[in-house]
Amino acid sequence: MLSVARTISVIGTGYLGAVHAVCMAQLGHTVIAVDVDEDKIAAFAAGRTPFYEPGLDELLTETLATGRLTFTTDPAQVADAEVHFICVGTPQAPGEFRADLTYVYAAADGLGPYLREDALVVGKSTVPVATAERLRRRIAAAAGREAEQVRLIWNPEFLREGFGIEDTLTPDRFVYGVAEPGSAEAEADVALLDDVYAVPLASGIPRLVMDYPTSELVKVAANAFLATKISFINAMSEVCETAGGDVVALAKAIGHDDRIGAKFLGAGVGFGGGCLPKDIRAFMARAGELGADQALTFLREVDAINDRRRARMVDLAREACNGSFIGKQVAVLGAAFKPNSDDIRDSPALDVAEQIHAAGAQVRVHDPRALPVARAHRPGLDYRDSLEEALAGADVVLHLTEWQDYRDLDPAAVRGAVTNPVVIDGRNKLDPDRWKAAGWTYRALGRPNL
Ligand code: UDX
């Protein structure tokens, strides 16, 4: 158990905030989570998570039962907290590349009047560089103080959906951005945040203290690197398609080099989700504002390669339908942007499905978890709860989100459901030999010779 249990508020109960609040309560702290969305708060308070994240339901039930975790829509309720975590979203601004900071500023304005003089504010939202300093001034204004009187650490999160609890409780590293590294004030702030993370820190997880701008940049740099790695292998995929190479064999071979590493070399329809696409765009926009746009022009290509893979998938599907989608049935396996999530934000699978639907095919989409969200937010497609129904009469089957259910499919058993046994593996995760042995034509991105 903790030597020092702290009183904490978590502002914003989206994916990041909800996982953070539950995990902080699990560590032994007293946590109040606040959001403006009454339905969401009511769901959490009743022990229901309004989105799918493995293990979160169980941990929510467990921590609610301790009495240490409460949910509210009343900002005044956070007044006792010693540490406030800002976990609100920073979506892409409509029609622009930059991040929309409305929610971050609203959190600051809402918090100011209730901030104890000794309280520490910890920013976790992904923000453009220079936001931490602005936010500190904004909180100070709302609290009626000088900026220097507001304690603020920038502490970006790196959690992956599907692994949110693990990534919160045992992250690879903690990053603390402080106003003046080395100052007595910074040391006191760091010591307080160390109390909050005492349990994971005790296990030896590195904790890196730096200035605000660097800490803000660490997050976007990490995401830009990951996106670049995926687009790099997808660029190799394009070359393999023209040169007759096999991108899966290529990725495996270069991944053995420790300097390159095998992770994030999965070629396919590319990256989506609520982070990588919008974060690289916001990073480009911010660099432009700072006069450093040339430094990040390569990210435009990273984005473009990612989009081209979706277009290539549509082309492969059209080829499989003998050149036209009109009157054809297309089965799409997957709606979530990645497996073990019901998040459909910028989902490559749904983008491909919508493009094919717009080109005249009848598209049936299946997903083990994401259909309720997909039906609510992308209502134009035909969603099927049963895999059999999605496959029935298909002229081509597209594997677009690599859920274990699809990887475990018995190709011989589902062969009879479709009209034409053609599968296009958009994630390079099915076993070509098994599918071919069961009578299927197997096609994939970046593997022309299978
Ligand atoms: C990402 C970062 O990993 C995380 O550190 C950050 O905090 C938030 O953004 P997340 O969006 O949950 O996390 O998903 P991630 O697992 O990174 O996958 C992003 C996308 O890339 C998915 O669409 C996934 O399918 C795709 N991807 C991933 C590939 O196409 N190939 C790969 O090899 C890996």
Side-chain angles (χ1 to χ4, degrees), residues 5-93:
R6 295 289 185 178
T7 305
I8 286 174
S9 92
V10 174
I11 301 164
T13 59
Y15 179 79
L16 162 66
V19 173
H20 195 70
V22 170
C23 287
M24 292 305 104
Q26 210 268 344
L27 287 177
H29 302 295
T30 299
V31 181
I32 182 148
V34 56
D35 200 292
V36 290
D37 185 332
E38 288 178 9
D39 292 342
K40 220 193 257 180
I41 287 297
F44 282 122
R48 279 181 285 112
T49 48
F51 51 81
Y52 174 66
E53 174 63 22
L56 189 61
D57 260 334
E58 295 80 354
L59 205 56
L60 174 67
T61 308
E62 209 179 288
T63 45
L64 278 173
T66 64
R68 288 196 301 268
L69 176 62
T70 47
F71 291 88
T72 185
T73 53
D74 177 7
Q77 300 285 316
V78 306
D80 287 339
E82 302 165 273
V83 182
H84 302 270
F85 286 95
I86 296 187
C87 295
V88 293
T90 51
Q92 188 173 339

Side-chain angles (χ1 to χ4, degrees), residues 289-304:
E289 287 161 13
L290 294 169
D293 45 343
Q294 239 189 329
L296 297 186
T297 44
F298 74 95
L299 287 179
R300 263 187 234 155
E301 193 52 32
V302 166
D303 209 7

